[in-house]
Amino acid sequence: MDATETTADLHLTMANEDYLEAMVRIEIEDGLDEGAGIRSVDVAQHLNVSKASVNKAITALKAQGLVEQSHYGKVMLTPQGREIGAAVWRRHRILRTFLTEELGVDFETADVEACEMEHALSEDTMARWIAYLEK
């Protein structure tokens, strides 16, 4: 089962996918070890949302087994949560690159539009798109 099918089975919202993607990005950008955990405040800053919004999303993601939260507050992605977040981030990068390099869209616009598009495409469609681009 691919990450998109898993997302559908879990009934994740686009916002929930964005939270998982943000956590993966924070781990990568901050050079964090996978088990180190992420501060809620860092997620809030990354997504430009309130800490209360992050806490609400974390509660929903915990209920689905996609994150865990330690007693001191750091959030850790489960393997399934990391897989979904990484897949969303990968789709985002591919879409943004296509928009900027192939269509000449400016980076900021491409970044916003890639964020909207990343949720709508299945892994199958993305794989076909990549195969087409590689020709």
Side-chain angles (χ1 to χ4, degrees):
M1 180 179 319
D2 69 29
T4 302
E5 291 168 346
T6 301
T7 300
D9 291 345
L10 291 171
H11 306 292
L12 290 179
T13 65
M14 292 185 339
N16 288 143
E17 288 183 352
D18 284 340
Y19 281 99
L20 294 171
E21 176 189 10
M23 288 184 249
V24 166
R25 290 180 69 175
I26 290 167
E27 281 184 344
I28 293 167
E29 292 166 5
D30 293 354
L32 301 175
D33 291 331
E34 287 185 2
I38 302 154
R39 298 180 320 154
S40 294
V41 67
D42 293 334
V43 177
Q45 288 174 343
H46 184 88
L47 292 173
N48 197 27
V49 297
S50 70
K51 192 165 183 272
S53 294
V54 174
N55 290 335
K56 183 177 178 184
I58 295 303
T59 299
L61 294 170
K62 280 193 319 192
Q64 297 195 57
L66 300 174
V67 299
E68 297 171 347
Q69 192 168 26
S70 64
H71 67 281
Y72 56 90
K74 288 196 175 181
V75 180
M76 291 164 280
L77 290 160
T78 64
Q80 186 180 25
R82 182 172 287 103
E83 177 186 353
I84 293 168
V88 175
W89 176 224
R90 180 175 183 265
R91 287 194 300 269
H92 183 110
R93 292 189 327 265
I94 291 167
L95 291 163
R96 184 181 62 200
T97 299
F98 177 79
L99 293 171
T100 57
E101 293 184 11
E102 299 297 324
L103 301 182
V105 176
D106 71 89
F107 184 86
E108 294 301 321
T109 301
D111 196 50
V112 170
E113 291 176 350
C115 190
E116 294 171 6
M117 295 168 65
E118 69 196 18
H119 305 287
L121 300 175
S122 68
E123 285 296 318
D124 180 59
T125 299
M126 284 303 304
R128 291 169 189 253
W129 194 344
I130 291 166
Y132 173 78
L133 293 172
E134 288 175 344
K135 287 183 185 178

